[in-house]
Amino acid sequence: MNEVLSAIHARRSTRAFTSQQVSREDLETILEAGLWAPTGNGKQLWHFTAIHSADKCLALAHAVAEADNRGPSYNFYGAPCHIIVSYKRDEMHAFLDGSAAIQTMLLAAQSLGLSTCWINQLRPLTDDPAIRPLLTQLGVPEDYIVIGSIALGYAAKETAPAPRKEGIINIIE
């Protein structure tokens, strides 16, 4: 199996991270990979905000927990690094382009031996009065909406693959 297919098959949603921080070099490589994701009409109207501080990740997670009634233990699974993918508001391809960038970064992280979890809690909270100022302070442009985010770090434990469903693929010739 080639390297890309191996990364696709090996990637898991990690829900328990160690406190070991991701290197700046690996973080930059993952962000650069996101820039190469497909984008409708080549617009590339996304913005990537990388939080390379465990304390700031935890502060954001606690704000999300309070705004979304998730309880005090909510912490993005303890990931010491977090990437927020946002996109220009009211753009037709925002969710498609942003999702492609997220998936590309998930696979790049896997190829570097890092673990990830796609986080959706920020998306519906983009304009929440308790969250928007924090997003702006972190560098998410005011006229952008959050598409999703990535918890990034090293897995504290292995995640077993979920079985693949049957009857999903049809090939018509």
Side-chain angles (χ1 to χ4, degrees), residues 124-159:
L125 297 173
T126 295
D127 294 319
D128 185 285
I131 301 298
R132 183 70 240 188
L134 185 54
L135 292 174
T136 302
Q137 181 183 19
L138 290 169
V140 176
E142 285 278 348
D143 57 338
Y144 278 51
I145 56 170
V146 173
I147 302 304
S149 62
I150 301 169
L152 176 66
Y154 294 90
K157 62 181 181 178
E158 282 274 326
T159 302

Side-chain angles (χ1 to χ4, degrees), residues 1-172:
M1 192 179 313
N2 71 38
E3 290 180 41
V4 173
L5 292 175
S6 292
I8 290 169
H9 285 254
R11 199 209 65 77
R12 304 280 178 271
S13 291
T14 297
R15 290 185 172 82
F17 291 87
T18 69
S19 61
Q20 181 183 349
Q21 186 56 272
V22 174
S23 75
R24 177 73 183 248
E25 179 183 5
D26 284 348
L27 177 59
E28 289 174 1
T29 298
I30 292 163
L31 293 165
E32 170 77 15
L35 295 175
W36 289 94
T39 179
N41 297 318
K43 287 187 174 182
Q44 302 176 46
L45 295 174
W46 43 45
H47 186 269
F48 308 147
T49 302
I51 305 169
H52 196 231
S53 159
D55 291 339
K56 289 179 182 175
C57 288
L58 187 57
L60 178 60
H62 284 164
V64 167
E66 188 166 320
D68 203 31
N69 297 314
R70 294 193 164 267
S73 64
Y74 184 75
N75 66 356
F76 298 143
Y77 308 112
C81 190
H82 203 80
I83 300 171
I84 301 169
V85 175
S86 57
Y87 208 90
K88 181 104 171 118
R89 188 181 300 274
D90 299 324
E91 279 291 325
M92 184 171 99
H93 299 288
F95 286 96
L96 302 170
D97 292 358
S99 295
I102 291 170
Q103 179 66 8
T104 300
M105 286 189 270
L106 296 177
L107 293 174
Q110 177 65 40
S111 76
L112 295 171
L114 295 165
S115 298
T116 57
C117 188
W118 187 323
I119 305 286
N120 284 315
Q121 286 72 33
L122 275 172
R123 186 179 51 78
L125 297 173
T126 295
D127 294 319
D128 185 285
I131 301 298
R132 183 70 240 188
L134 185 54
L135 292 174
T136 302
Q137 181 183 19
L138 290 169
V140 176
E142 285 278 348
D143 57 338
Y144 278 51
I145 56 170
V146 173
I147 302 304
S149 62
I150 301 169
L152 176 66
Y154 294 90
K157 62 181 181 178
E158 282 274 326
T159 302
R164 301 294 100 179
K165 293 182 178 181
E166 300 279 330
I168 302 291
I169 299 171
N170 288 335
I171 298 175
I172 310 301

